């Protein structure tokens, strides 16, 4: 695609707390998107984007990898999975809910293909509730909300949590249409019952005080949820609630044709509230 040629791409690597990190960034028309993958103890966590396959796969080939685990099915996390399976012969594990989807040709909006490329089909195995690496046992923590299949990975030996897209940023202002704020709140609450310290986020990167960061995000979302419900109970419609709580306009909303929007935050909270009242 012609538009791909005007997107600015940047690729960086670093090592933090024995975790090898690869970071890819794509920028276009004021929208900057970043994604990371991580290698530790023979485990690759997420696979980067197809649009930067040359860079990510060069990183993989310089690592000592036994297996691949995926936090969720989105293309910036699964973009190089087919390469890892086809060229490097590595086993891939993910939540069973989206295994069939990933076996098919990529099916997502054009702007996402522009940024992240068109993911090739691959075949993964169900990951289960725990897995083992060379020197550690890992907990697989169900954390739906960002996507229905989202999981986080906790290394019991090191206390390091690999949170996928559970965190991303402390004060969420826009979300994907498929996301669900009450589910994210429940996932944060569940995750905070585990014993962990450092957090490695696919988008925010290394969070040395990770538990505190996740707690702050939870506190923010609980307050936001309360404010939305309060305004809704006073008779304010969702669009007006959005304009009241989220007055700033973000480029990603226009660029994604509103697949990303703060209105999805409002609606997901109201839908959950209505469902609870009905029951």
């Amino acid at each position: 695609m012609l538009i791909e040629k005007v997107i600015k791409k940047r690729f960086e690597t670093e090592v933090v707390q024995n975790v090898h990190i690869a970071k890819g960034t794509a920028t276009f028309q004021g929208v900057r998107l970043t994604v990371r993958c991580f290698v530790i103890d023979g485990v690759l966590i997420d696979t980067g984007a197809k649009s930067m396959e040359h860079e990510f796969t060069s990183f993989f080939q310089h690592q000592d990898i036994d297996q691949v685990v995926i936090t969720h099915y989105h293309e910036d996390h699964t973009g190089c999975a087919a390469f890892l399976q086809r060229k490097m012969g590595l086993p891939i594990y993910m939540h069973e809910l989206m295994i069939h989807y990933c076996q098919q040709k990529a099916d997502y909006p054009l702007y996402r293909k522009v940024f992240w490329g068109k993911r090739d089909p691959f075949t993964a195995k169900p990951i289960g509730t725990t897995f083992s690496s060379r020197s550690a046992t890992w907990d697989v923590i169900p954390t739906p909300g960002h996507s229905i299949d989202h999981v986080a990975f906790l290394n019991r030996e090191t206390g390091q949590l690999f949170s996928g897209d559970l965190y991303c940023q402390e004060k969420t202002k826009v979300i994907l249409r498929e996301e669900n704020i009450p589910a994210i709140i429940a996932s944060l609450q569940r995750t905070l019952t585990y014993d962990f310290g450092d957090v490695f986020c696919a988008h925010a990167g290394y969070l040395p005080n990770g538990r505190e960061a996740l707690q702050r995000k939870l506190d923010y979302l609980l307050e936001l949820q309360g404010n939305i419900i309060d305004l809704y109970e006073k008779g304010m419609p969702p669009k007006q609630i959005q304009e009241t709580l989220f007055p700033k306009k973000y480029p990603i909303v226009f660029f994604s044709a509103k697949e990303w929007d703060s209105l999805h935050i409002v609606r997901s909270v109201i839908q959950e509230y209505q469902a609870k009242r009905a029951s």
Side-chain angles (χ1 to χ4, degrees), residues 118-184:
K118 192 173 180 180
R119 173 195 54 77
D120 292 328
F122 66 96
T123 300
K125 301 174 184 178
I127 193 164
T129 57
T130 64
F131 68 90
S132 296
S133 59
R134 295 172 185 177
S135 58
T137 299
W138 297 65
D139 288 308
V140 179
I141 306 172
T143 48
H146 175 71
S147 67
I148 59 172
D149 68 323
H150 198 285
V151 293
F153 303 117
L154 173 60
N155 185 321
R156 292 183 188 174
E157 308 305 316
T158 65
Q160 293 167 321
L161 179 76
F162 295 83
S163 60
D165 286 2
L166 178 62
Y167 177 78
C168 291
Q169 59 183 335
E170 184 178 322
K171 295 187 176 181
T172 302
K173 304 296 184 184
V174 295
I175 61 173
L176 277 166
R177 187 177 287 112
E178 70 179 280
E179 292 189 72
N180 182 292
I181 292 298
I184 292 172

Side-chain angles (χ1 to χ4, degrees), residues 13 150 210 249 255:
T13 63
H150 198 285
K249 305 303 178 187
F255 197 80

Side-chain angles (χ1 to χ4, degrees), residues 32-49:
R32 184 177 67 181
L33 303 177
T34 296
V35 71
R36 292 169 176 82
C37 58
F38 309 95
V39 178
I40 181 172
D41 202 34
V43 179
L44 169 63
I45 299 160
D46 289 335
T47 76

Side-chain angles (χ1 to χ4, degrees), residues 101 104-108 113 117-121:
Y101 173 88
Q104 314 304 313
K105 289 183 179 179
D107 180 22
Y108 44 84
K113 292 177 182 174
K118 192 173 180 180
R119 173 195 54 77
D120 292 328

Side-chain angles (χ1 to χ4, degrees), residues 71-238:
T71 59
H72 62 296
Y73 77 97
H74 289 161
E75 63 278 1
D76 49 334
H77 298 258
T78 57
C80 299
F83 172 91
L84 290 155
Q85 187 167 65
R86 203 170 51 237
K87 301 294 186 181
M88 296 182 68
L90 291 169
I92 300 173
Y93 301 91
M94 66 185 293
H95 194 292
E96 62 184 358
L97 271 176
M98 298 303 286
I99 287 177
H100 178 72
Y101 173 88
C102 290
Q103 290 173 338
Q104 314 304 313
K105 289 183 179 179
D107 180 22
Y108 44 84
L110 177 62
Y111 81 95
R112 287 163 59 178
K113 292 177 182 174
V114 167
F115 271 99
W116 298 133
K118 192 173 180 180
R119 173 195 54 77
D120 292 328
F122 66 96
T123 300
K125 301 174 184 178
I127 193 164
T129 57
T130 64
F131 68 90
S132 296
S133 59
R134 295 172 185 177
S135 58
T137 299
W138 297 65
D139 288 308
V140 179
I141 306 172
T143 48
H146 175 71
S147 67
I148 59 172
D149 68 323
H150 198 285
V151 293
F153 303 117
L154 173 60
N155 185 321
R156 292 183 188 174
E157 308 305 316
T158 65
Q160 293 167 321
L161 179 76
F162 295 83
S163 60
D165 286 2
L166 178 62
Y167 177 78
C168 291
Q169 59 183 335
E170 184 178 322
K171 295 187 176 181
T172 302
K173 304 296 184 184
V174 295
I175 61 173
L176 277 166
R177 187 177 287 112
E178 70 179 280
E179 292 189 72
N180 182 292
I181 292 298
I184 292 172
I185 288 172
S187 290
L188 286 164
Q189 290 170 328
R190 179 183 301 112
T191 302
L192 286 163
T193 66
Y194 287 79
D195 184 16
F196 65 92
D198 293 350
V199 170
F200 291 83
C201 170
H203 297 285
Y206 172 56
L207 305 173
N209 299 307
R211 171 173 288 278
E212 291 83 355
L214 264 62
Q215 183 64 57
R216 288 194 302 271
K217 183 179 180 79
L218 173 60
D219 293 342
Y220 165 78
L221 290 180
L222 286 170
E223 181 179 3
L224 178 60
Q225 179 178 244
N227 290 338
I228 292 169
I229 290 170
D230 182 57
L231 292 173
Y232 179 69
E233 286 181 330
K234 290 176 179 176
M236 192 175 287

